[in-house]
Each structure stands twice: as structure tokens, then as C-alpha cells.
Amino acid sequence: MAVCVVGTGAIGQTVIDALRDSVVPHVSLTAVLDSRSSPEESAAAFDAADIVVEAATVDAARTVLPDVVKRGKDIVVCSCGVFADRGFDMESFGSGPSRVLLPTGAIGGFDVLAAATRAGSRDARLTHTTIKRPSALGIEERLDAERTVFRGSAREAALAFPRTSNSSVALALATLGLDRVEVVVVADPDATSTRHVVEWESPLGRYELTFENAIDPASSGRTSSITAWSVIEVLAALPLGIGPGAVVLGPPYRS
Amino acid sequence: MAVCVVGTGAIGQTVIDALRDSVVPHVSLTAVLDSRSSPEESAAAFDAADIVVEAATVDAARTVLPDVVKRGKDIVVCSCGVFADRGFDMESFGSGPSRVLLPTGAIGGFDVLAAATRAGSRDARLTHTTIKRPSALGIEERLDAERTVFRGSAREAALAFPRTSNSSVALALATLGLDRVEVVVVADPDATSTRHVVEWESPLGRYELTFENAIDPASSGRTSSITAWSVIEVLAALPLGIGPGAVVLGPPYRS
């Protein structure tokens, strides 16, 4: 499986390094694009790839996503904020043949939460709370104590905090949708890591999932190291035809 | 995709009902087997299926699993305790063409935990604590307070508590393996639901995942309702060629 990576920031670089180190069987890196790549370079790289990893920005994703999809190639989108834009025609991706894949990013548990959603979502509630240090949220002001700086839907969160809301958007699209998942963003001047708390409640059960993530030193305090590995996990799952939220004992998918 | 379900207990029946209600696109129920089915019936049902769901017992899984695999069909195994038996030749499943699939069962977060494992497992620790009422653990004695009744590896847990350890085994096989995941089983006379706490620690982060599950009334207090839905989620993921721990916007896998 030939992979083209778009973006050489913290996430993109970790994915690139892992693929160069052959961390994932049956998956190889064939091209790396960044903001200086020409349209001709991008076109050639997309044509040669089986799957494109967008690990750049929401703005870049707006261009890359349709460009890859019109070629019928699969794409992993890290800048999920692009899906929160009401002008963005998400329905159009259902018709294929491309698959648009959203990794779990800085959080997880999409396996159990998707299952619980399928069991019954009418009486379900889901909240995603992110606690970061103020500078990682673009807050210059000096805070003496933690402060809730946002509370709203996943869609609203993506428009207010596009860099911080990628996993909220992916979580929402895996479960109750962009308008029914509540997002809370807290600035904590004492935070040394980024914390996420995902709380689900429905007749099936109550789940409280806490993720305290080490920060990728290449990301100016913004990106959790696990995020790139969630992308790598999706790439590893594709040749198996299942996962990452299922264990596969067995050979690669015979396609 | 044609599905044969083996087992008509709480899990099997929920899967059967969901498939009859067409809850999952592109997936249909073609046969149901139970302990009274003849070898001829089983053989015909396996031959006609694309995938078999084992939702019976560890003993049944010992027979069904090789029988399905020798036909080259995929199988979802709920009685994961079968993999803890040292006499069981797990390596033999890697050669295919069958895929042996383990659902997340009563817990979840295999997506993020598998990603964290791939990032680096040397300094990782993972503990799975299950808190159930004594009767659900086969304890007849009257307890006045909660009591830790088991502490050991996932492999040892599966041998000591085969009915309770399926998700410990699946979790272990998704991450650090059967001998490196610690399992704790607590009997709590005041428990009204079953609680699972999964704790991960590695240089990448610290995750604490708490699952408090409603009990399937058809299971004599033993089985969480979410378990059957984790199987259904795997069946739903197969035609997409990815997931359940990833969001897919796009059409079914073109196989």
C-alpha cells in the first residue's frame, strides 16, 4: 500500500519516520508534500498513492480532500475541523469510491462509543472536555487558575478552536454527530500535559475515558504524541480490512 | 456478507435480532447454530457463510474455531478465553486465509491502546480491573464488603475465570500480550452493574478508562449488553474495510 503524506509538522513527521522505519507491514511511503509543493507535484503524488494522509491544516485539507477524492483514492484526514464547516458537502463522500478516514487523534474509545451509539442514541449524552495550557489554546493572557474558555457543540468548537477540535469532530462523527456532542475547553496554567475527558451516558452504560497525553516536543506544545500514532494505526489496519478497534489474528486482507 | 451465528445465549440472541432487524447495512443472517445442531448442519452453515460469529462457550470455541478456519472463512470469537490455553496453537492463524477477529466485548479503547502499544511498549503498563457482584463471579459465599478475588496475568485470569475474562484476553492480544497485562477481579456485594477500569501508562501518556455497563437481563447477571453490540460493530466494520476505531465517510470496501 503506497502512502503519500501531506504536511511535515509534528504529526506528519512522525508518520513519515515510522513509515521509513517500516513500522507498519505492507505499507510504504511513496511521497511527501508540503506547502511548497507545486500542483503538478501534488497531482503526480496523489496519482501514485493508494492512500493520502492529510496532516497539515484545515485550510490545506479544504484543497487536498476534494483533489484526492476526485481521483478515487482513500484519504486519512487529521484536520477534521474541515468537516465542521457548514459549506462543506460531507454527504458527497458517501458515494465513493474513495473512503475518507478520520483517526481517533488525541483520544480513543471510538470502538465502544460507536457500538453504544448503534445500540441506541436517542437517550445518549456525550461530552468531550479538553484541558490544555493557555498558550496551547492561543491565550496570551496570564491566568491564575483554570478557566472554562468554551462550551458548545463539536461543530461550534471546530469553528472557535480549529487546531484543538480535530478529535472532537472525529468523535462526533463516530457517534452522535457534530451538533449533539458537547465540547468543553479549559485553559489550565498549571497543565504540564494535555488532558481529555470523554463522558458517555446512555441506557447501555456510563463511560468515563481520561486521556493524559505527552506532548510532541516538535509541536510548540500543541500536539499530543499519540495523535500521529493514531494515524499509523489506521494505516496498519487497512491491509487487515478491519480495526484498529478490533483484534485481528490472521493475514492481510485479500483484496 | 452472509453471517452464521453460533450460540443463542444473551450475546448471540442480540446479534441475531439486530441482523434480522437489518441494523447493519450489507450484512445478513444466513444461519443460527446451537449446541443441538448436528455436525452436518454446522458444516453446511459454515460453508454458506462469509463469516461466523462464535457466541457460545470456550469449549464450543475449541471446536468451532478450527472448523471455520479450515474452510478459509472469517470468524468473530466472543469466547476469547480459548486463546489463553497454552495448548492452543495461536500462531497457526497468522497464515490465513481466515481472519480471526476479537471484538472489544465489555470494554473499549483498543484503538488508542493499540496505537500507544505500537508507539512503544517496553516501558508500558496495563491493568484491567473488573468489579462484579459475587454471584456473577460464581461466588456463593455471602460477602460483607468488596474483596479482590484474583490478581494475575490475563492468561491466568482466563484460566481462573473463563466467563469473565474474555475482554481481558482481547485487550491483551490488542496490546501487550497475555502475559504482560495485569488483571484484577473484585467481588462487590453492592454492585448493581459491572464496572471495568482499564489503566495504561507509558511515556506517551496515561489513560484511565472506566466502563460501567448495564447488564443484559437474559444473561443471569453475567453479560454486559454492550458486548453483543461490540460484535455487531465488527460486522458493520467489515464491509467498510476499516474500523470500528476509525470513522469512515465513504462507501463499502470494494472487494
Side-chain angles (χ1 to χ4, degrees):
Chain A
M1 203 177 70
V3 178
C4 165
V5 175
V6 181
T8 54
I11 298 172
Q13 197 58 52
T14 301
V15 174
I16 291 164
D17 291 346
L19 296 181
R20 286 197 174 135
D21 291 347
S22 304
V23 165
V24 185
H26 313 290
V27 176
S28 58
L29 181 70
T30 52
V32 174
L33 302 172
D34 62 22
S35 54
R36 288 160 306 184
S37 303
S38 70
E40 294 72 26
E41 282 175 289
S42 299
F46 297 159
D47 283 336
D50 297 307
I51 183 159
V52 174
V53 173
E54 178 283 316
T57 60
V58 169
D59 275 347
R62 279 201 192 92
T63 311
V64 170
L65 182 50
D67 213 13
V68 171
V69 166
K70 80 174 182 211
R71 290 180 160 79
K73 304 301 177 85
D74 290 339
I75 181 166
V76 178
V77 178
C78 293
S79 305
C80 299
V82 71
F83 301 111
D85 191 338
R86 285 195 188 273
F88 202 88
D89 180 16
M90 201 145 52
E91 300 297 315
S92 66
F93 296 116
S95 52
S98 296
R99 288 174 301 173
V100 179
L101 307 169
L102 283 54
T104 49
I107 58 177
F110 289 16
D111 42 15
V112 60
L113 297 174
T117 299
R118 196 180 296 271
S121 63
R122 207 189 55 190
D123 298 318
R125 286 183 49 199
L126 182 56
T127 303
H128 177 200
T129 304
T130 301
I131 303 112
K132 284 190 175 183
R133 57 186 204 226
S135 63
L137 295 167
I139 295 170
E140 310 273 322
E141 183 190 350
R142 193 191 163 97
L143 301 183
D144 292 326
E146 67 171 45
R147 182 191 295 175
T148 298
V149 296
F150 177 83
R151 185 182 292 270
S153 70
R155 187 189 302 278
E156 292 161 348
L159 301 175
F161 290 95
R163 276 165 173 261
T164 284
S165 304
N166 293 321
S167 53
S168 296
V169 169
L171 174 67
L173 292 175
T175 56
L176 303 179
L178 289 167
D179 299 308
R180 277 190 63 199
V181 173
E182 183 181 47
V183 173
V184 180
V185 180
V186 176
D188 178 358
D190 297 325
T192 53
S193 58
T194 294
R195 273 206 318 138
H196 296 268
V197 185
V198 173
E199 291 161 286
W200 168 275
E201 188 166 352
S202 79
L204 211 66
R206 289 159 51 97
Y207 306 132
E208 184 175 318
L209 317 178
T210 302
F211 306 93
E212 192 178 326
N213 288 322
I215 300 300
D216 188 321
S219 74
S220 318
R222 289 181 184 275
T223 305
S224 300
S225 300
I226 189 69
T227 302
W229 289 95
S230 81
V231 174
I232 295 162
E233 206 55 32
V234 168
L235 297 177
L238 284 169
L240 304 172
I242 187 74
V247 186
V248 187
L249 310 174
Y253 199 84
R254 59 275 175 209
S255 56
Chain B
M1 203 177 72
V3 178
C4 165
V5 174
V6 181
T8 54
I11 298 172
Q13 198 56 55
T14 302
V15 174
I16 291 164
D17 292 345
L19 296 182
R20 286 196 175 134
D21 291 348
S22 303
V23 165
V24 184
H26 313 290
V27 175
S28 58
L29 181 70
T30 52
V32 174
L33 301 173
D34 62 22
S35 54
R36 290 160 307 186
S37 303
S38 70
E40 294 71 27
E41 284 175 286
S42 299
F46 296 161
D47 283 337
D50 297 309
I51 182 158
V52 175
V53 173
E54 178 282 317
T57 60
V58 169
D59 275 346
R62 278 200 193 91
T63 311
V64 171
L65 182 51
D67 214 13
V68 172
V69 166
K70 82 175 180 208
R71 290 179 160 80
K73 304 299 177 85
D74 290 339
I75 182 167
V76 178
V77 178
C78 293
S79 304
C80 298
V82 70
F83 301 112
D85 191 340
R86 285 195 188 275
F88 202 89
D89 181 16
M90 200 146 51
E91 299 295 315
S92 67
F93 297 117
S95 53
S98 296
R99 288 173 301 173
V100 180
L101 307 171
L102 283 53
T104 49
I107 57 176
F110 289 18
D111 43 13
V112 60
L113 297 174
T117 299
R118 196 180 295 272
S121 63
R122 207 189 55 191
D123 298 318
R125 287 184 47 199
L126 181 57
T127 303
H128 177 200
T129 303
T130 300
I131 303 111
K132 283 190 176 182
R133 58 187 202 223
S135 63
L137 294 166
I139 295 170
E140 310 275 322
E141 182 191 351
R142 192 190 162 95
L143 301 183
D144 293 326
E146 66 170 46
R147 183 192 294 175
T148 298
V149 296
F150 176 84
R151 185 183 291 270
S153 70
R155 187 189 303 277
E156 292 161 348
L159 301 175
F161 290 95
R163 276 164 173 261
T164 284
S165 305
N166 293 320
S167 53
S168 296
V169 169
L171 174 67
L173 292 175
T175 57
L176 303 179
L178 289 167
D179 299 308
R180 276 191 63 199
V181 172
E182 183 181 47
V183 173
V184 181
V185 179
V186 176
D188 178 358
D190 297 327
T192 53
S193 58
T194 294
R195 272 205 317 138
H196 296 268
V197 185
V198 174
E199 292 161 286
W200 167 275
E201 188 167 350
S202 80
L204 211 64
R206 289 160 52 98
Y207 306 132
E208 184 176 318
L209 317 179
T210 301
F211 307 92
E212 192 179 327
N213 289 323
I215 301 300
D216 189 321
S219 73
S220 318
R222 287 182 186 276
T223 306
S224 300
S225 299
I226 188 70
T227 303
W229 290 96
S230 81
V231 174
I232 295 163
E233 205 56 32
V234 168
L235 297 177
L238 284 170
L240 303 171
I242 186 76
V247 186
V248 187
L249 309 174
Y253 199 82
R254 59 274 174 205
S255 56

